[in-house]
Amino acid sequence: MATLKDVARTAGVSVMSVSNVLNDTGRFSATMRERVLQAAEEVGYAGPDPAAASLRRGRTGTVGVVLPLPLETAFADPAATAFLEGVAREFQRRRTTMTLLALPPAVGPLARHATAPVQQVADAPLAALEKAVIDAALLYSVEEDHPGLDILVKRELPVLAVDSPGHDTGRERFGDAWAGFVTVDDFGGARRAARHLVGLGHRRAVILVDRLAVQPRLGPATWPQALATTSAILRRRLLGYRDAWAEAGLPFTDLTVIECGRNDIAAIRTAVHTLLTAPGPRPTALLAVSDTLALGACAAARDHGLAVPGDLAVIGYDDIPAAATAVVPLTTVHQPTVEKGESAARLLLDHTDQYTEHRADHRPDHGVPTATTAGAAGAPPELPTRLVIRASTPA
């Protein structure tokens, strides 16, 4: 079996030079790299032992992707899988592996005023996060009060968030470990959706959300309750919808927020059934914070003999593939979900390289890499959104 010495002898360089090239450490020229790789191929060197290399570098080559929902729910959500596709593309380019860490609520949705459990997330997933052998953590739509954040603060790992927690919260909680925040123009996208409904003459609408906090609830939420959400992404979308309503001079009493508790068809049908059978004027339009919620609402409306868009106009968010192929193609807000995943993975890996190098040096004169190095200083850039008009809203 070929060894490092065999590669060094064939390449005509030192063993240290071979080690630097194969472990991607230290400084070496492109010519040196090519010579070593060619020599390794000639002698049939299989490469360094992964475990030993990880110990030497202080890196595992693995990043944890933290999801605040069950894995089966994530895999059934086209928006989540598109995001993971983008992350996986960049990780593959950077020879990085992914560990999925699911941290769902300990109990299912509760009534609006029911007492929440003391422990909102079970011990097992929190212990998995605490013990996970990872170099960094990528948070996907994790609420700002999620107990998993406390664990990551203690671990002092580089952390980047997508959609939630927000940038200010991240900088405050994680300090120098904060790699930044990646999101889309959620406020603008939601405002365009609500403006579209107002322009069509709608004056009573409902907003469907999956959950407003770590502990999901069921049923209508007042605006103070809704805006107290600990999800940064939901807060931005709710404010966008509300802004369009205020711009038109319409009362917020005619723009109702309903929490479904989960992002699945059964929960959505129950929420819409409650909405459509409630006393008082029925809403003529529905805004959903995801296409999954919107498509479920369309199905529930048909169950009640209502036509979309004739009796109920519906707008989703995400522009998943099913939005265009639905029985009634869905008007929705498009976001570049795959690109969002790629951007997040790239920024996190860049920051992790610098952060790990600094901690290895332990030299105060080098300065600590901050979120600035990940392009997240000040207000982070937002990827664009756009309204895609289809048949679920009248022309």
Side-chain angles (χ1 to χ4, degrees):
M1 181 180 293
T3 65
L4 280 180
K5 289 183 179 179
D6 296 326
V7 178
R9 187 181 305 111
T10 302
V13 299
S14 68
V15 172
M16 179 63 72
S17 295
V18 173
S19 177
N20 285 341
V21 170
L22 295 180
N23 289 292
D24 198 21
T25 58
R27 295 182 178 181
F28 48 84
S29 66
T31 301
M32 171 71 77
R33 181 177 184 276
E34 181 62 28
R35 183 190 305 175
V36 169
L37 293 180
Q38 184 175 348
E41 185 176 355
E42 287 179 10
V43 301
Y45 182 62
D49 177 72
S54 293
L55 287 172
R56 286 194 299 271
R57 294 194 303 264
R59 297 279 292 275
T60 66
T62 300
V63 170
V65 179
V66 180
L67 308 165
L69 67 168
L71 283 181
E72 63 268 27
T73 302
F75 290 139
D77 182 349
T81 55
F83 166 74
L84 290 173
E85 176 188 341
V87 173
R89 285 183 183 179
E90 183 62 23
F91 280 2
Q92 186 170 352
R93 282 192 287 265
R94 304 279 286 270
R95 294 184 294 178
T96 299
T97 56
M98 178 194 311
T99 294
L100 296 180
L101 297 161
L103 279 73
V107 300
L110 300 175
R112 176 64 53 202
H113 299 293
T115 302
V118 175
Q119 190 165 333
Q120 296 188 335
V121 177
D123 285 333
L126 291 175
L129 178 64
E130 192 168 22
K131 298 174 182 177
V133 183
I134 54 178
D135 296 326
L138 198 167
L139 309 179
Y140 179 57
S141 292
V142 176
E143 291 87 356
E144 294 172 338
D145 62 341
H146 198 289
L149 300 188
D150 294 331
I151 292 173
L152 291 172
V153 168
K154 292 177 183 177
R155 292 196 61 177
E156 298 184 334
L157 294 171
V159 173
L160 182 139
V162 173
D163 295 337
S164 185
H167 185 55
D168 291 340
T169 298
R171 286 196 300 185
E172 180 181 342
R173 294 292 302 276
F174 296 102
D176 297 326
W178 181 241
F181 179 62
V182 174
T183 191
V184 301
D185 180 16
D186 282 305
F187 177 89
R191 181 170 57 183
R192 283 188 290 274
R195 279 176 173 173
H196 179 58
L197 291 180
V198 171
L200 294 172
H202 294 280
R203 297 297 180 265
R204 288 191 307 278
V206 65
I207 301 169
L208 284 189
V209 304
D210 48 359
R211 75 187 203 204
L212 292 165
V214 177
Q215 176 57 59
R217 301 280 178 174
L218 294 171
T222 65
W223 271 105
Q225 289 170 336
L227 293 179
T229 178
T230 55
S231 168
I233 181 176
L234 275 188
R235 189 181 308 118
R236 293 191 303 275
R237 291 185 187 180
L238 289 171
L239 288 172
Y241 296 137
R242 185 181 168 99
D243 187 74
W245 220 248
E247 182 181 66
L250 300 174
F252 296 134
T253 51
D254 291 335
L255 184 64
T256 306
V257 179
I258 295 183
E259 188 172 358
C260 297
R262 295 189 305 273
N263 194 32
D264 61 50
I265 297 298
I268 298 161
R269 286 179 183 267
T270 299
V272 174
H273 172 78
T274 302
L275 167 69
L276 296 179
T277 56
R282 179 175 54 78
T284 62
L286 184 147
L287 293 153
V289 298
S290 76
D291 286 345
T292 300
L293 290 174
L295 293 171
C298 289
R302 289 194 295 271
D303 291 344
H304 285 266
L306 299 180
V308 176
D311 299 313
L312 184 70
V314 178
I315 300 182
Y317 210 111
D318 291 329
D319 199 17
I320 63 176
T325 60
V327 175
V328 178
L330 183 66
T331 294
T332 185
V333 178
H334 174 87
Q335 62 163 317
T337 311
V338 174
E339 182 183 346
K340 182 164 68 172
E342 288 180 300
S343 297
R346 182 172 59 255
L347 291 175
L348 178 57
L349 292 178
D350 288 348
H351 181 79
T352 301
D353 288 342
Q354 298 172 47
Y355 185 79
T356 305
E357 181 180 348
H358 167 80
R359 287 172 66 88
D361 287 343
H362 294 295
R363 284 183 287 183
D365 57 312
H366 274 206
V368 179
T370 66
T372 304
T373 61
E382 296 178 334
L383 296 171
T385 56
R386 70 177 189 275
L387 183 66
V388 180
I389 300 175
R390 299 191 180 104
S392 67
T393 55

